[in-house]
Amino acid sequence: MITGKKRRFLAVGECMVELAQIGPGTYRRGFAGDTFNTAWYARRLLPADWAVGYLSATGADAVSEEMRGFFREAGIETKALRVVPDRTVGLYMISTKAGERDFSYWRGQSAARLLAEDEAFLTEHLSGAGVVHFSGITLAILPAADRQRLCRAIGAVRAAGTLVSFDTNLRPRLWQDTESMKAGLMLGASVADVVLPSFDEDGPLFGETAPQQTIVRYLDAGAGTVVVKNGAAPLCAFSRAEGAFEMAPRRVERVIDTTAAGDSFAAALMSRLATGQSLKEAAVRAIDLAAAVIQAPGALVPEVFE
């Protein structure tokens, strides 16, 4: 359990303008992005005496200011958001068919690509967090040198006692090639306490035939806990403190949109771990929340808390 001044959950990455399909030819505009989604859900799951913040960069234009206002309205701190005057925020569009997603991106001028260029800024904001969460997408959008800089800074706060989680969250189109993607994922895992891969992504990438192989690879990289999501198959988990277990996902009759299933899962899991629950207890809440989220359109589903 994290106590005292370290009661701060900080997610690192990119928030974008989201256009989510809600009907044939009809889209709803919002703000979302994998680690931001996790922060949004974490804010609703963590006790009131916890702060939740987001470390990223935005532009100085109207849509960037609207995004920062959205953060504040959601109860998410903005002090770790750098403003880059000649940049803006990215945009993505989700089209869905039978609940599965297809993404189109416009992020060439995204300020978030510069989020890790200032090492002093990273150190200042990361060092005050009890939990730091980042993802494979966080690393993929960065130049190689900035990727290394961010992981050095995260590794340093982990060594000082911060709980670090890493969601592998593969987006192959963001990486230069397969080898750089594999290297980036292993770099992220090397500075994390908790690694959250999806077997349908990680397994084929690394030539693995069972989730247990994925667990061993990330443990060898330095993680203490690995939780492998596996679609409709049982979740496989291992922690050095609690050992190995499997857990069946909750049955869902109708999948509407799988956007943010993994992001909400990470929020529930890390929120419960941060407040002293066991990995098994945290996994139950994570599975339940993800199951509820995929039964509604878009990334952020306030209805699941009603």
Side-chain angles (χ1 to χ4, degrees):
M1 179 185 292
I2 295 169
T3 60
K5 294 181 180 179
K6 286 288 188 177
R7 287 180 178 168
R8 183 169 180 246
F9 184 107
L10 184 69
V12 185
E14 178 181 30
C15 186
M16 306 175 72
V17 175
E18 177 195 73
L19 297 179
Q21 188 174 15
I22 58 174
T26 304
Y27 291 79
R28 180 179 63 193
R29 199 206 74 167
F31 296 107
D34 69 328
T35 56
F36 173 76
N37 303 340
T38 298
W40 188 91
Y41 284 104
R43 176 62 285 168
R44 283 149 182 78
L45 292 163
L46 285 165
D49 63 349
W50 274 74
V52 176
Y54 198 63
L55 193 159
S56 188
T58 69
D61 56 348
V63 71
S64 295
E65 179 53 40
E66 188 175 348
M67 178 182 286
R68 292 191 293 272
F70 178 76
F71 282 24
R72 290 188 289 267
E73 290 174 6
I76 297 172
E77 293 179 346
T78 59
K79 61 185 179 183
L81 286 179
R82 292 180 59 237
V83 176
V84 184
D86 59 346
R87 293 288 184 114
T88 184
V89 294
L91 178 148
Y92 73 99
M93 182 172 68
I94 310 169
S95 298
T96 58
K97 184 177 182 179
E100 288 305 315
R101 306 164 291 170
D102 182 71
F103 291 89
S104 299
Y105 292 97
W106 295 266
R107 68 198 326 159
Q109 292 300 308
S110 172
R113 290 179 177 269
L114 306 178
L115 70 87
E117 66 176 5
D118 185 337
E119 192 152 7
F121 182 88
L122 293 176
T123 299
E124 175 188 356
H125 292 286
L126 290 169
S127 61
V131 179
V132 168
H133 177 76
F134 71 119
S135 76
I137 295 177
T138 307
L139 299 181
I141 65 171
L142 301 177
D146 288 3
R147 195 177 301 152
Q148 294 285 341
R149 183 180 297 113
L150 175 62
C151 287
R152 281 197 306 272
I154 290 175
V157 297
R158 179 196 182 194
T162 295
L163 179 65
V164 177
S165 57
F166 176 62
D167 188 338
T168 58
N169 218 351
L170 272 63
R171 294 291 186 271
R173 285 179 289 183
L174 293 177
W175 294 93
Q176 182 181 359
D177 51 43
T178 299
E179 290 308 309
S180 65
M181 178 165 61
K182 292 166 71 172
L185 295 182
M186 297 310 291
L187 173 65
S190 74
V191 297
D193 297 291
V194 181
V195 179
L196 304 171
S198 294
F199 186 66
D200 63 336
E201 298 176 341
D202 273 67
L205 178 65
F206 288 94
E208 293 159 350
T209 57
Q212 290 75 15
Q213 293 173 295
T214 304
I215 289 173
V216 170
R217 175 168 48 81
Y218 284 125
L219 290 174
D220 287 346
T225 298
V226 184
V227 180
V228 184
K229 298 158 285 181
N230 198 11
L235 171 152
C236 295
F238 178 89
S239 78
R240 300 189 192 277
E242 298 182 39
F245 65 88
E246 295 187 2
M247 190 173 291
R250 186 152 67 85
R251 182 178 175 81
V252 174
E253 294 296 332
R254 186 181 177 211
V255 176
I256 301 298
D257 183 356
T258 57
T259 303
D263 309 333
S264 58
F265 181 97
L269 189 90
M270 297 309 299
S271 296
R272 291 302 187 262
L273 291 179
T275 51
Q277 293 192 13
S278 70
L279 181 60
K280 283 187 179 179
E281 291 170 325
V284 169
R285 181 65 178 104
I287 286 172
D288 286 346
L289 180 60
V293 167
I294 64 176
Q295 296 179 71
L300 309 180
V301 187
E303 294 83 2
V304 300
F305 297 103
E306 294 177 354

